[in-house]
Amino acid sequence: MDRARTAVVAGRCLLWAALALPAFGAGRLGLNEPRPLGQQLAGAGVLAVATALAGRRPLTAFALTAALCLAAAPALFSLSYGPALAVFALLLGLRRGRTGPAALCFLAVGGAGTVRIALGGADPVPEWLVMTGTLLFACVLPWLGGRYWRQSRELTAAGWLRAARLEEEQRLAEERARLRERARIAQDMHDSLGHELSLLALRAGVLQVAPDLPERHRAAAADLRAAAADATDRLHRVIGVLREEDDAPLPLAPAGETVEQLVARAADSGLPVRWGTDARTGTVAPGGVAERLLHRVAREALTNAARHAPGAPVVVEVTGDATSGATVTVTNRRADGSRPACSGGGSGLRALRAAVTAVGGTFEAGPHGEGYRVSAHVPALIPAAVVPAPPPSAPYTRARRRVVTALGVAAGTGAVLVAASVGWYAYTETHAVLEPAAYAGLRPGALLADLDLPDRHVQDPPTDRAPAPPDRTDCRYYRASGELFVSVDHYRLCFDDRGRLAAKDVVPRVGGQQKSQREEFVR
């Protein structure tokens, strides 16, 4: 813990040193106007406080740095504190998730800068354009970059978490598929063996009532019939435990025989089954889903009839055509002293109902007259499996797109403002140029209205390099040349209260002759 805290403190000290270095070096290199040592130390102290707060209160750290920049320059542009402003804007986007407080802070900084520019007395248009460009490029863009960086880290972590979750889901899906396959095999065994055991019980019943069979063999046949019935019940209970859902659709494995063959085999085993008068064969395509469904329905119905109504007559009908589909109906009467073939709540019938309705068919099972009826209609055209729609695009891509769009809009707006600032600067500076010959031809006492002066005069004059103006005069500054982005000589013309030229001065450029050349006229 101590090592981690020491590393954090050391990192913040290095950050403060890196941010304070431009504040002390810009003035010495001539990139900014020289400031007193007290102001430099005060600025370094504010940067130290902002660096200490950047970890837990990044918005406060950014606000302090923005206030320091506004105190140093109304347009917010300062080589001394501009790097610190950009760094704390980056940390604000990196460490704070909410957008509202940061946006309000940017608006507050812009409003404070606008008020300070309006009260400064200088030409507000270029100053405001410079402030807006600085706010975009040194504040908004780094803040958006920090947000993008933070979101990228969060999305990367979320991606790894999602990958691990998908692997776990895949493992669970494979395990569930194995369990479903086991249940399918068990259900298939139940249907096949249950049907065969029912037919075996029927054969034993035929032997039991045979007149030429000895009494001991008849008793053995009765025991065999009871054992087959008990085995069928136990098989049904075991398979019921293995099934996960009672109403899950049955697997449609190939039946291996047609409905006609099934009925013939049941009749050979002693089940009193016959075809109905409206029965037709060849109504479904062999080997298809419809034929397998009809076979399962008929087999389950015949099995229930053999178990619950032994000896009762059973009628099987298969009707329909290739256009409307096929319908299988199995009807049995109630045997003397027996209960109905099924109560309607068996798992086999529920599974059959789910399988038939899954392909768009209808299924009915219940008492009918003095017996029980099972009927299923399967459409001719089985609807294709629904293909799941592709998943919607991940929110990670949309988040990246929003951040990139915001960065692009901010960069484009900043570029337009910077271009407008440069254009306005060039216009104002080139229209405030007083030619040296015109300056030399100015005579004492000339009226301001009679002089051919430029359309504009300098709005940010170098008053710090100019001497004190004469008393009760209004002074105007003009550039001596139209060079841009460099320091040039300035001409100062001072007029008295009657609008007459009282004095003119040459204010040298930065690094030029420090002594101004004054010509003051007698008023």
Side-chain angles (χ1 to χ4, degrees):
M1 180 63 68
D2 293 339
R3 291 183 178 179
R5 187 175 301 174
T6 303
V8 171
V9 173
R12 291 181 179 178
C13 291
L14 291 176
L15 177 62
W16 172 79
L19 297 179
L21 182 61
F24 289 100
R28 295 181 179 274
L29 296 176
L31 301 177
N32 277 342
E33 295 294 335
R35 293 187 177 87
L37 181 60
Q39 293 184 5
Q40 296 180 4
L41 293 177
V46 173
L47 290 180
V49 175
T51 304
L53 296 175
R56 296 188 176 182
R57 298 182 178 273
L59 186 62
T60 304
F62 173 79
L64 287 175
T65 310
L68 183 61
C69 290
L70 287 176
L76 197 65
F77 181 77
S78 172
L79 294 178
S80 298
Y81 307 116
L85 184 67
V87 169
F88 287 121
L90 176 67
L91 295 178
L92 176 61
L94 184 63
R95 296 176 179 175
R96 190 176 182 90
R98 298 176 59 188
T99 305
L104 292 177
C105 185
F106 294 150
L107 291 176
V109 172
T114 301
V115 172
R116 195 169 188 280
I117 290 173
L119 298 178
D123 191 359
V125 176
E127 294 284 338
W128 187 85
L129 290 175
V130 171
M131 182 204 68
T132 307
T134 304
L135 188 62
L136 283 174
F137 282 99
C139 299
V140 177
L141 278 180
W143 173 71
L144 289 175
R147 283 179 58 85
Y148 181 80
W149 189 3
R150 177 178 56 82
Q151 289 182 358
S152 178
R153 294 192 308 181
E154 292 177 353
L155 294 178
T156 301
W160 284 110
L161 180 61
R162 180 177 177 81
R165 190 173 300 168
L166 288 176
E167 290 180 357
E168 181 65 18
E169 291 179 356
Q170 180 66 23
R171 186 187 66 80
L172 294 177
E174 293 176 355
E175 182 66 22
R176 188 173 181 84
R178 285 194 294 269
L179 294 177
R180 285 186 178 275
E181 181 64 17
R182 293 175 182 176
R184 186 196 68 80
I185 296 173
Q187 179 65 36
D188 191 53
M189 291 176 58
H190 167 266
D191 294 343
S192 300
L193 295 180
H195 182 71
E196 298 299 333
L197 288 174
S198 298
L199 296 182
L200 180 62
L202 285 174
R203 291 178 183 273
V206 173
L207 290 176
Q208 182 181 358
V209 297
D212 56 347
L213 193 67
E215 185 63 27
R216 60 186 182 88
H217 291 168
R218 188 177 289 109
D223 294 341
L224 178 61
R225 178 183 176 184
D230 292 342
T232 302
D233 292 337
R234 287 196 299 269
L235 179 63
H236 179 74
R237 289 194 297 269
V238 171
I239 300 304
V241 172
L242 291 178
R243 286 184 56 84
E244 295 180 354
E245 300 175 358
D246 290 339
D247 56 351
L250 284 174
L252 298 180
E257 64 179 352
T258 64
V259 177
E260 291 80 359
Q261 294 171 347
L262 173 67
V263 173
R265 188 160 58 88
D268 293 340
S269 299
L271 183 68
V273 57
R274 64 180 179 85
W275 284 99
T277 56
D278 296 334
R280 283 182 285 177
T281 60
T283 56
V284 294
V289 176
E291 185 189 40
R292 293 197 293 270
L293 270 176
L294 295 179
H295 182 276
R296 287 214 177 247
V297 172
R299 186 175 65 182
E300 181 69 19
L302 292 177
T303 302
N304 290 338
R307 288 177 55 198
H308 302 288
V314 182
V315 179
V316 179
E317 295 180 349
V318 178
T319 60
D321 50 42
T323 302
S324 61
T327 302
V328 60
T329 304
V330 180
T331 306
N332 65 277
R333 293 184 180 180
R334 182 181 303 181
D336 295 338
S338 66
R339 54 188 175 90
C342 185
S343 61
S347 61
L349 294 180
R350 285 197 295 269
L352 284 174
R353 184 187 304 276
V356 173
T357 56
V359 298
T362 58
F363 183 87
E364 296 179 358
H368 178 74
E370 297 181 356
Y372 200 85
R373 169 176 288 182
V374 176
S375 177
H377 174 76
V378 180
L381 298 177
I382 304 297
V386 179
V387 179
S393 57
Y396 315 124
T397 304
R398 294 196 297 269
R400 289 193 179 97
R401 188 181 297 115
R402 286 196 300 268
V403 174
V404 171
T405 302
L407 287 172
V409 171
T413 305
V416 171
L417 290 175
V418 169
S421 302
V422 172
W424 183 261
Y425 169 76
Y427 172 80
T428 56
E429 297 302 311
T430 54
H431 284 72
V433 176
L434 180 61
E435 299 295 336
Y439 173 78
L442 295 177
R443 295 293 179 262
L447 290 174
L448 174 62
D450 298 335
L451 298 179
D452 186 14
L453 298 177
D455 298 337
R456 301 181 60 86
H457 55 87
V458 177
Q459 298 294 331
D460 51 344
T463 54
D464 54 333
R465 300 194 303 270
D471 296 335
R472 297 188 302 276
T473 58
D474 181 23
C475 299
R476 298 185 178 185
Y477 291 79
Y478 298 91
R479 293 169 62 89
S481 67
E483 298 178 86
L484 300 177
F485 304 108
V486 294
S487 181
V488 298
D489 293 339
H490 286 72
Y491 297 138
R492 186 178 70 177
L493 306 181
C494 297
F495 298 89
D496 58 17
D497 52 2
R498 293 179 299 174
R500 296 182 180 276
L501 184 60
K504 65 178 184 178
D505 301 274
V506 178
V507 182
R509 65 176 59 91
V510 175
Q513 184 180 359
Q514 296 298 319
K515 183 179 180 181
S516 64
Q517 303 173 7
R518 168 178 289 191
E519 296 185 22
E520 186 171 352
F521 310 114
V522 179
R523 286 176 283 179

